[in-house]
Amino acid sequence: MASNWPPSAITGIDPLPYHGLVYTVQGNPQIMLDPMDGRAPVPMPAFYSRYLGENHRMADYAAQQDGYLWDIGMPDPPPSPEIEAAGGKLLGRRIVGGGLFLPVRLGELTRHLFISGSVFDGQVRFEAQLRGGMGRTLAQLPLADVELDWSKAAIEYDGSLASRIMPVPSYGLSKLDISPDGTRHLFGVSLAGLADTAGWATTMVAIIELVLSLDDQGEVKGVATIRRTAAELLGSYSFTVNSDLQRLSSVADGYPSCTSHPVVQDRPNETSGDNGARGWESKRTGVVIGAVYAGDDIDLITASYADQRSETISTTTDSYQWGKPNADSGTCEPWQPGEEPPRPPTRQRYTSTYHYELAFSFRGASIDTSMDSDRLVTLMQPSGGRATGTSVTNDSASAGLQRTLEEEVAPGTLQSLDKLNPRNDAGLIYLPAALWATNYYTVSAVVRRNWVSLATFESYTLTGQPGYKTFWGPLLTPLGVVGETTEYPIRTSGSGLVPNFIYNAAFNPINGQAVRECDMPGRTIAGFI
């Protein structure tokens, strides 16, 4: 049944009684609503677009990909056949965004407040503003209560102090969650990061809860409490190395053999070797990247990652006769021109392995991805000549990518490996690395307020060109894992090497529905409303 009610009649009952997935179809600017309850999609009313304006009182009722639930226990109004025929539905709760004026249930009244937080002049400050009123400070805490000791902050990449890149740290606030009645707000205090592989991720160092209530005069008041500190948020980090390298040498035997035979020896004073093995692992477990309410408690979204590398090298040659035996004198004489037999070539075999894994955990569920690479190089260097050989590399990604590359090695010299030493990291605070990695392939985290996912690129810099695949990972939501790893285009934005891409997906806190664009080909998802 079609509705012939004008929008004004519908909004007279409910300002915006449209609930479901908001999207557009590629090539068509018409904003659509899919109720996702068995009813067919319908065009959103024209007035919806006007609600998106920044200063409109309904602006925060726009579609959200990671919105908050507003629910004070009101029952759903009686169904309206006319509204439902127009694609709407009357509910006693709704999805709201995280900014502008949000409903807060204080006493028996619902007030619309703009709750904000900032870090300024050594204070973590929280403010509230009533619609049409002036903002005022509700609570504040000294930044010193939650900030890191910057003199001890170090970078995982090379163990150096972060202060050499950022002499003075920069902190900010982000809103993590809001209780359904709007009276409790979770904020994350975050250290600004440098997202390249030689820097660190934006790092949460504290979670602060702001609780709103009314004073004796009926005015809004707030109390700020530290719920988690850096020690509880950074997880555990380890960096381990092993290095056992030797050097190929030779021992000259005298008369009567007059031969030189190869021997592999320890050289304690040398910093490199052409035989042996080395490896290292950088591993972080349980770093907190998000938090949501679970009744009066807090559930944390955590990330764990590991970067493992190992190398082996074997260099060999054969014995050779370095001198000419002289039976009369019982000595080894130098060879005369043209007499010396050819010296044997030197052979070398080099292997390397690489493994990277990234995982998220949330309320007992998890998702993960990984990349692997192994390489074998075989070289031969004739006496007095240059080394030549072949290289075979195998790369794979758990999303479903694999390749083998065989190639000739350009003439050059034999390889050696530098010895690795453990880090002297006593007392240092290692900052978490950015949640992405590139070897041949690229994997990257997708982090939203209340859900996370993973993206894999066959070649990030060539994404969008024919033949280069991209993969969407499952969504990890407050209600578990949704979807499977799916090959589907991902649009990149920007030309930098740090992954920057469009990944439209959404979680509905009203009913737990979750969708990704890759599950709805042709649609561009705005979010749930």
Side-chain angles (χ1 to χ4, degrees):
M1 176 181 69
S3 172
N4 56 13
W5 281 19
S8 59
I10 295 176
T11 57
I13 300 174
D14 186 327
L16 198 58
Y18 297 95
H19 304 279
L21 182 68
V22 178
Y23 67 96
T24 56
V25 176
Q26 293 175 11
N28 187 343
Q30 173 64 56
I31 301 175
M32 300 292 293
L33 172 73
D34 186 345
M36 295 191 68
D37 59 3
R39 289 179 291 168
V42 296
M44 283 293 283
F47 62 82
Y48 170 75
S49 297
R50 295 195 293 272
Y51 282 177
L52 302 184
E54 181 178 350
N55 296 317
H56 195 284
R57 68 183 183 87
M58 301 293 290
D60 227 49
Y61 289 141
Q64 306 288 330
Q65 294 191 1
D66 56 358
Y68 305 85
L69 174 64
W70 161 245
D71 184 359
I72 57 172
M74 293 177 59
D76 293 341
S80 166
E82 291 287 349
I83 288 179
E84 294 200 10
K89 189 172 185 177
L90 297 176
L91 296 177
R93 56 209 178 278
R94 67 167 70 248
I95 299 170
V96 296
L100 299 182
F101 295 91
L102 299 181
V104 179
R105 190 69 174 178
L106 294 168
E108 298 301 317
L109 296 176
T110 298
R111 308 187 185 199
H112 283 77
L113 296 174
F114 178 32
I115 304 297
S116 62
S118 62
V119 178
F120 179 74
D121 197 23
Q123 296 290 319
V124 182
R125 186 173 300 160
F126 302 94
E127 297 184 345
Q129 179 185 352
L130 281 166
R131 179 175 287 141
M134 298 292 292
R136 62 187 181 87
T137 299
L138 293 179
Q140 60 184 19
L141 294 170
L143 178 62
D145 289 354
V146 297
E147 66 182 342
L148 297 178
D149 183 347
W150 197 238
S151 68
K152 297 179 180 179
I155 303 171
E156 290 182 3
Y157 174 72
D158 58 6
S160 64
L161 291 177
S163 57
R164 71 178 177 85
I165 300 178
M166 185 182 288
V168 179
S170 175
Y171 292 91
L173 275 184
S174 60
K175 193 168 291 186
L176 303 175
D177 202 11
I178 304 172
S179 64
D181 64 359
T183 60
R184 294 181 295 149
H185 293 239
L186 278 185
F187 288 87
V189 182
S190 294
L191 166 71
L194 302 171
D196 61 32
T197 53
W200 63 90
T202 296
T203 301
M204 199 183 309
V205 298
I207 294 177
I208 298 177
E209 182 179 41
L210 178 69
V211 178
L212 306 177
S213 60
L214 296 177
D215 62 19
D216 294 339
Q217 287 73 43
E219 296 292 327
V220 178
K221 65 177 182 179
V223 176
T225 305
I226 299 172
R227 295 292 301 268
R228 298 288 191 278
T229 63
E232 300 168 283
L233 300 176
L234 296 183
S236 61
Y237 175 71
S238 64
F239 180 82
T240 56
V241 302
N242 62 78
S243 187
D244 182 18
L245 295 172
Q246 299 86 37
R247 177 69 63 179
L248 177 66
S249 186
S250 61
V251 174
D253 295 328
Y255 183 85
S257 67
C258 300
T259 59
S260 176
H261 63 269
V263 61
V264 175
Q265 298 177 329
D266 286 320
R267 300 284 186 89
N269 296 326
E270 291 193 16
T271 59
S272 64
D274 56 15
N275 278 271
R278 70 174 190 175
W280 62 99
E281 179 186 58
S282 178
K283 184 176 184 179
R284 170 106 35 191
T285 303
V287 59
V288 175
I289 58 171
V292 298
Y293 278 114
D296 293 331
D297 205 351
I298 299 173
D299 284 339
L300 304 175
I301 307 173
T302 64
S304 300
Y305 55 85
D307 185 323
Q308 303 165 337
R309 301 170 189 263
S310 65
E311 296 172 289
T312 68
I313 191 168
S314 173
T315 307
T316 62
T317 188
D318 297 324
S319 300
Y320 66 93
Q321 198 164 20
W322 63 268
K324 181 179 180 180
N326 186 323
D328 295 334
S329 63
T331 61
C332 301
E333 297 179 350
W335 293 103
Q336 297 300 313
E339 290 184 335
E340 182 178 2
R343 293 195 177 186
T346 302
R347 300 175 297 276
Q348 191 172 76
R349 176 186 172 90
Y350 166 84
T351 68
S352 67
T353 63
Y354 166 80
H355 175 76
Y356 177 82
E357 57 188 50
L358 172 61
F360 292 112
S361 297
F362 187 19
R363 290 182 171 172
S366 63
I367 58 174
D368 61 78
T369 192
S370 64
M371 295 187 299
D372 290 275
S373 181
D374 63 76
R375 187 182 183 211
L376 168 63
V377 179
T378 55
L379 298 173
M380 180 175 289
Q381 183 175 27
S383 177
R386 295 173 66 79
T388 59
T390 59
S391 169
V392 180
T393 303
N394 294 293
D395 295 293
S396 63
S398 61
L401 291 168
Q402 189 166 356
R403 69 132 197 181
T404 297
L405 176 65
E406 299 185 26
E407 56 186 348
E408 298 293 322
V409 177
T413 57
L414 296 176
Q415 301 186 55
S416 63
L417 300 179
D418 292 332
K419 293 182 179 180
L420 300 175
N421 296 310
R423 290 178 178 172
N424 181 17
D425 56 2
L428 293 183
I429 303 168
Y430 281 95
L431 303 177
L435 299 178
W436 67 277
T438 292
N439 192 41
Y440 179 76
Y441 305 120
T442 297
V443 297
S444 178
V446 182
V447 179
R448 301 293 186 265
R449 187 192 66 81
N450 58 3
W451 60 264
V452 292
S453 188
L454 296 158
T456 301
F457 301 84
E458 185 169 2
S459 172
Y460 177 76
T461 56
L462 298 176
T463 296
Q465 296 189 23
Y468 290 93
K469 299 177 181 179
T470 55
F471 295 83
W472 297 57
L475 297 186
L476 181 58
T477 77
L479 296 184
V481 179
V482 177
E484 299 178 347
T485 299
T486 303
E487 181 187 345
Y488 191 75
I490 299 177
R491 289 163 286 166
T492 57
S493 56
S495 57
L497 295 180
V498 175
N500 185 12
F501 52 91
I502 298 169
Y503 197 97
N504 289 326
F507 173 75
N508 187 338
I510 293 177
N511 57 23
Q513 290 176 326
V515 296
R516 305 170 297 173
E517 246 174 36
C518 65
D519 300 319
M520 300 181 167
R523 291 186 178 185
T524 298
I525 291 174
F528 283 106
I529 192 168

